[in-house]
Amino acid sequence: MEIYFFSRLDYTSEMIIIFILYFAIGIIASTLGAIAGLGGGVIIKPVLDLVGHFDLPTIGVLSAATVLSMATISLLKARKKEIKVDKATSLTIACGSIFGGIVGKAIFNIIAISLNIPKTTAIIQSTILAILLSFIYIYFKRKHKLKSHVIKNKMIIFAVGFSLGFLSAFLGIGGGPLNVAVLCLFFSMTAKNAGINSIFIIFFSQLSALLLIAFTTGFADYDLFMLFFMIPGGIIGGLIGSHYVTKLTNLQVEKVFNITVLIIIFINLYNIIRFLIS
């Protein structure tokens, strides 16, 4: 009886640590996501790959639901602040990203589920993400030397959104850093304005991704118990990030963005090596 008691006690302690871990992942990713427009998915996805408790489709749902909760809170808080959403541009990008997301998710499902090669898919995702983030990091370090643009053509803006949605859905990241880089480069937004507009785009892309699953395969095959810990983390992270983003300068927001992107690059590189040798 004594051995059984202590084994149960050890199991309970281990589960509590796991619950705290997933809550912490949700709150840290969402706080950084709300501050810099990263969304949080670009952090959650590689970190959950690293933890290794769930398969790729489940990680995608956990990430999308957590990011959606953060984006909802951030947008509600932004209504009362001086940082504004460029609804005309961002809504066009969001519409494009929804269609691109459907295509990207379909291709992901073919590779990861139909072909049943999750390890290869994870390596491809991590490699593409590491390369894209490296380019984004270099861009922000040299942004002051590069000319930005202001695209007005709706079809081009829609096409930009489609490309962002496709990459985001295939990589399972929500699109935050890609959105911010594109908004700064092609629409001449400051880091803070790009951040809130990125979250606006992410809100629609993640909502559509979850609705697509709900009306097609459903959620029965996904192990989503950790959402009870990650969604509260996303909500609290959204509140914290929204509070601090108005107090930070554009330069400080860029620093948060760059440091976070650099950390994510190294996590992805570690994941690639781990997948290759496992």
Side-chain angles (χ1 to χ4, degrees), residues 100 104 128 132 162-173 178:
I128 294 174
L132 286 174
F162 183 92
S163 301
L164 290 173
F166 176 86
L167 285 170
S168 301
F170 180 76
L171 298 176
I173 61 169
L178 304 179

Side-chain angles (χ1 to χ4, degrees), residues 102-162:
I102 292 171
V103 177
K105 195 66 177 177
I107 292 176
F108 169 82
N109 288 340
I110 291 171
I111 296 175
I113 300 175
S114 301
L115 298 180
N116 194 27
I117 47 172
K119 183 178 175 180
T120 302
T121 306
I123 293 171
I124 293 171
Q125 285 181 319
S126 296
T127 302
I128 294 174
L129 186 54
I131 292 170
L132 286 174
L133 291 177
S134 297
F135 279 118
I136 290 170
Y137 179 80
I138 293 168
Y139 163 71
F140 272 94
K141 296 298 287 185
R142 300 179 60 84
K143 185 164 69 76
H144 61 285
K145 297 181 181 179
L146 301 173
K147 182 182 178 181
S148 60
H149 308 273
V150 182
I151 297 175
K152 297 293 187 180
N153 187 294
K154 295 293 185 182
M155 290 302 297
I156 296 176
I157 295 173
F158 183 88
V160 168
F162 183 92

